[in-house]
Amino acid sequence: MKKVFDLKSPFYGEIVKLVTPIVLQNLLSAAVSSADVVMLNFVGQSSISAVSLASQYANILFMVFYGLGTGATMLCAQYFGKKDFQAIEVVQGIALRFSLGISLVVALLALTVPNYMMLVFTNDPELIQIGAEYIRVLSVCYLCWGITEVYISILRSVGRVVIGTVLNTVAVVLNVVLNAVFIFGWLGAPKLGAQGVALATSISRLIELGLCFVVSARSPQIKLKLSAIFVRNKVLFKDFVRLSLPALANDVVWGVGFSMYSMIIGHLGNDAVAANSLATVVRNFGTILCFGLASAGGILLGQRIGEGRLEEARLDGSRLLWLTVASGALGGAIVLIARPFVLMYAGNGNFTQTALDYLGVMLLINSYYIMGCAVNTTLIAGAFRAGGDSRFGLICDVIDMWVYAVPLGLVAAFIFKLPVLWVYFLLCTDEFVKWPWVLKHYRSGKWLKNITREDIFESEKA
């Protein structure tokens, strides 16, 4: 235990170097979401609710790209420990093959049937109309994400996290400025409301993609080569499918599960949707450090394992877990401190009194819910994936969300017709239900494995 809290350990210095730009990047992403809500509050509660529901598709896609990216990171971080850059390039091409295929399908649906996509989350005609316009314009953004998220994940896996932060900073600043321009009609632009949010996001993501190619042209080793999509390597493809696709499925299961929560709340009325959308924004700020630690910790542990330093990786995993507990407590405190200011802001805007009452309780629930998210995310998406163990998280989340939380929410909302806040409380028990199994699996050490291979390309030639 003394070794875990030894502040002289190089782990703490390395984690700070990695986590700082990642946290900044996550903070900027959360800032965009909050800017959307803040500006749309001056347009109307319906616009906030519609964008919140329509954004569920972007959230699901983001989880797909995050799953592909972290799945690729599992392999790339360990191969970087071996300094095998050829393997990293091939893995990137495989990840892009999947991400572009998925984003193309969703973009086509968004262009052709956005109204039906909104019907999944609400039957309110006004919300469907606003949300459909938002989804259609955002289709361009989906295609850009399919490339940028994978490339930035690969850069992270080799320790180049600052580049991703700079790219996101440019995209976020541009997004916020364009939000104001298109929502309020500044600089002679038309007032587009919710549609303006989508347009601003699409333009900023297009520019971010262009900057990725600029970075690639100046990078000596990690290039963004779309031609890598066509490179075939049976060994690495099998490893990617075996290790990365369970991570992808895990994140999709998790992302779609959370969208089901929004769907359940979406059918409980406009007030519930508006309160949940603002509560989610505040919670996202509280989880920034937790999720940053998960990403940075996974990269460090993966590199340790790739170098064959398994015992050191086990000890660093314990250090990562204690840091996560501290960050979860800090995140909860942030939500509690922000609560009165958020309620004051919402009260001065277009929120009804019922929505304000919902919001106040939802923020209290989120103040402790963050701890559950923090521990599970760090272990499942950080430590376990660093060792190539992506199946456990998939099985765990399938059972937790689709056998427990989603059915519980549906029964509570539509059969027993419980009050909105009781439904919300029950949905927010999901993270704590899986704690015993997640912690037990962590202590077992079964996740700690070196997944790299020797002579990959020689065996391919043979």
Side-chain angles (χ1 to χ4, degrees), residues 50 115 118 122 124-134 136:
N115 291 72
M118 281 299 296
T122 182
D124 186 316
E126 182 183 10
L127 299 187
I128 290 173
Q129 181 182 356
I130 297 172
E133 293 174 353
Y134 176 89
R136 183 180 286 112

Side-chain angles (χ1 to χ4, degrees), residues 102-288:
I102 294 168
S103 60
L104 182 60
V105 171
V106 178
L108 288 174
L109 291 174
L111 283 170
T112 55
V113 291
N115 291 72
Y116 291 101
M117 294 173 74
M118 281 299 296
L119 270 172
V120 174
F121 293 105
T122 182
N123 52 9
D124 186 316
E126 182 183 10
L127 299 187
I128 290 173
Q129 181 182 356
I130 297 172
E133 293 174 353
Y134 176 89
I135 290 174
R136 183 180 286 112
V137 176
L138 207 64
S139 59
V140 176
C141 176
Y142 300 152
L143 292 171
C144 296
W145 259 354
I147 300 172
T148 57
E149 288 301 321
V150 169
Y151 183 57
I152 290 174
S153 294
I154 300 298
L155 290 174
R156 280 183 178 181
S157 71
V158 300
R160 300 183 66 187
V161 294
V162 175
I163 293 175
T165 302
V166 172
L167 292 175
N168 276 153
T169 300
V170 173
V172 164
V173 171
L174 184 61
N175 197 345
V176 172
V177 172
L178 291 177
N179 270 350
V181 170
F182 293 125
I183 290 175
F184 302 120
W186 290 357
L187 303 177
K191 292 184 179 181
L192 299 176
Q195 195 174 1
V197 175
L199 183 59
T201 302
S202 294
I203 292 173
S204 62
R205 293 300 177 181
L206 270 170
I207 292 174
E208 183 183 30
L209 176 59
L211 291 175
C212 282
F213 283 107
V214 173
V215 170
S216 171
R218 298 187 175 187
S219 177
Q221 295 167 324
I222 308 300
K223 300 282 189 180
L224 176 54
K225 292 183 179 179
L226 295 182
S227 59
I229 295 172
F230 305 104
V231 175
R232 295 289 187 267
N233 185 287
K234 293 181 181 178
V235 176
L236 283 175
F237 184 80
K238 288 180 180 178
D239 283 347
F240 186 88
V241 170
R242 178 174 58 87
L243 299 169
S244 299
L245 291 194
L248 165 62
N250 186 184
D251 288 330
V252 171
V253 163
W254 192 81
V256 174
F258 261 98
S259 293
M260 282 295 294
Y261 297 175
S262 295
M263 184 274 289
I264 292 169
I265 294 171
H267 286 82
L268 298 180
N270 199 331
D271 291 325
V273 175
N276 180 52
S277 65
L278 191 50
T280 300
V281 168
V282 178
R283 181 180 68 215
N284 288 344
F285 276 103
T287 56
I288 284 172

